[in-house]
Amino acid sequence: MNLIYTSDQKELIDAADGFFAGEHTVEYMRHLLESDSADTPPSLWDNFAELGLLGLLAPEEKNGLAQDFSVMAGIAEMAGNVALTEPLIEIAGISVPVLDEMGATVELNAVIAGDLKVLPVCGLSGMVSHADLADMFLIGEGGKARLIDKNDVTLTPLKSIDPLRKLYKISIPGDGLDTIDQRGTILNASFLCGLSKRMVALSVDYAKDREQFGKQIGSFQAIKHQLANVHTQIEFTRPIVQLAATQMGRCVHQAKVSSIDTAMLAAETAIQVHGGMGYTFEVSLHMFMKRVWALCGEWGDRSHHINILEAMILADDAELGPGTTFNY
């Protein structure tokens, strides 16, 4: 199976990456953290609509770009690289294709235009980040998707380790829907890969500037080897996530487990490279590290996905061996 993006797909991902890097900067996030409600910086939502990101997975006849889900996963990785604080990935990557499958044309058009926010609800936990921004919610019920107006739900604010990610418990009857939970898990894994890359980049920059014993600490083998190990782990994880985005199935759980392990290793290594400075508010690392800790438990934690993989592998009728395990 070819996991390499076409030139057009790569151009789309690079365009999103350039926009995120230029607009969603560390300074922008610090402004969000430090400002009061009257001084909050403007949302980037209208820009997402103008760039066509909200309609990335919608058909062309419905004003979309008709891209593969793997492209959305690539953009989710770029969003993770800047620790994006708006629910673009959840809405464009989960709600839009499900709305299209439901035939909810009016709502779909409004979402693509940037006039309506429909947030998917994780069937595993019933928790939604940025729920205060939503106009409607998308839940699974009886194996089908259902739309619920924001006025018909009860939202309970929850504490999150990441202050840039407002978290809520939503009180509505419903169950998990495979198409919602699988897409959410894959995009979550992609986002974690992006966060891992950014923490390595921050650590490399710090290691070039910080001096000890008259030398840059980045010149020490102990530092080089740690960062090289994380980089290698990231490059092993990314193809698993790309494969999951291409065909879903069992590899979705493998992607989430691998991305959690990679992100936690990246966070641990980054804090070791930064030393005591890594714990300070002045250094930007904490914004990315906290997002990792918050997202590792979203759309199923490590134990949840390990248990599913274990049940699949140990089942009496499990199809194992190179003909199935590596037949992609």
Side-chain angles (χ1 to χ4, degrees):
M1 177 175 289
N2 186 5
L3 298 179
I4 300 175
Y5 294 117
T6 66
S7 58
D8 289 343
Q9 290 173 333
K10 192 173 187 308
E11 187 176 336
L12 268 174
I13 295 171
D14 289 344
D17 184 29
F19 174 77
F20 294 153
E23 299 295 331
H24 197 277
T25 60
V26 168
E27 291 73 25
Y28 177 86
M29 290 193 288
R30 286 191 178 278
H31 195 173
L32 288 174
L33 283 172
E34 298 169 357
S35 63
D36 55 32
S37 57
D39 188 38
T40 302
S43 168
L44 301 175
W45 204 256
D46 289 342
N47 301 96
F48 296 154
E50 291 172 7
L51 290 170
L53 294 177
L54 293 172
L56 192 78
L57 301 183
E60 291 181 357
E61 62 270 20
K62 296 180 181 177
N63 301 316
L65 299 181
Q67 292 296 315
D68 294 336
F69 187 73
S70 60
V71 177
M72 190 72 241
I75 289 178
E77 184 179 326
M78 300 303 108
N81 193 45
V82 298
L84 190 67
T85 52
E86 299 198 46
L88 166 68
I89 304 305
E90 294 89 338
I91 291 178
I94 305 172
S95 297
V96 164
V98 174
L99 287 172
D100 182 42
E101 292 166 4
M102 292 171 60
T105 305
V106 174
E107 290 81 3
L108 177 63
N109 289 337
V111 169
I112 293 173
D115 299 327
L116 184 74
K117 292 186 177 74
V118 178
L119 277 171
V121 178
C122 176
L124 300 171
S125 64
M127 293 188 292
V128 186
S129 56
H130 307 293
D132 56 318
L133 303 177
D135 300 300
M136 303 184 80
F137 295 95
L138 191 64
I139 69 163
E141 186 175 61
K144 297 181 179 180
R146 180 163 70 98
L147 281 169
I148 298 182
D149 189 86
K150 65 178 181 180
N151 297 317
D152 296 329
V153 304
T154 300
L155 296 177
T156 305
L158 301 174
K159 288 185 178 180
S160 174
I161 194 170
D162 180 4
L164 289 172
R165 175 179 169 270
K166 294 182 180 179
L167 188 63
Y168 295 84
K169 181 77 174 179
I170 186 167
S171 299
I172 48 175
D175 51 34
L177 182 64
D178 194 49
T179 55
I180 292 178
D181 288 344
Q182 285 211 14
R183 285 175 174 136
T185 302
I186 294 167
L187 295 176
N188 176 278
S190 299
F191 205 101
L192 286 171
C193 284
L195 286 166
S196 301
K197 288 169 59 180
R198 185 60 179 273
M199 288 188 291
V200 169
L202 289 171
S203 300
V204 169
D205 289 342
Y206 183 80
K208 289 178 179 178
D209 291 336
R210 178 78 166 91
E211 291 190 358
Q212 190 66 271
F213 309 114
K215 294 183 178 180
Q216 295 174 334
I217 64 171
S219 66
F220 302 147
Q221 279 194 338
I223 300 293
K224 290 180 179 179
H225 289 174
Q226 287 193 74
L227 292 174
N229 286 341
V230 179
H231 177 74
T232 302
Q233 184 79 7
I234 292 170
E235 292 307 308
F236 271 108
T237 299
R238 292 180 68 236
I240 301 174
V241 177
Q242 289 173 329
L243 177 63
T246 302
Q247 69 174 39
M248 299 197 183
R250 181 171 68 185
C251 47
V252 171
H253 308 291
Q254 294 170 318
K256 183 61 190 287
V257 171
S258 183
S259 65
I260 289 174
D261 291 346
T262 299
M264 292 302 290
L265 176 64
E268 179 182 342
T269 302
I271 200 68
Q272 288 177 347
V273 171
H274 281 77
M277 286 298 294
Y279 287 96
T280 64
F281 186 82
E282 288 72 23
V283 174
S284 303
L285 176 64
H286 68 93
M287 290 186 280
F288 300 89
M289 198 161 50
K290 288 175 181 176
R291 186 66 60 85
V292 165
W293 294 338
L295 293 186
C296 280
E298 197 171 72
W299 300 99
D301 60 13
R302 190 179 191 279
S303 296
H304 170 80
H305 291 283
I306 283 288
N307 289 338
I308 292 176
L309 287 171
E310 181 182 23
M312 287 179 173
I313 293 171
L314 298 181
D316 293 336
D317 58 348
E319 296 182 0
L320 303 176
T324 53
T325 307
F326 303 105
N327 186 24
Y328 295 127

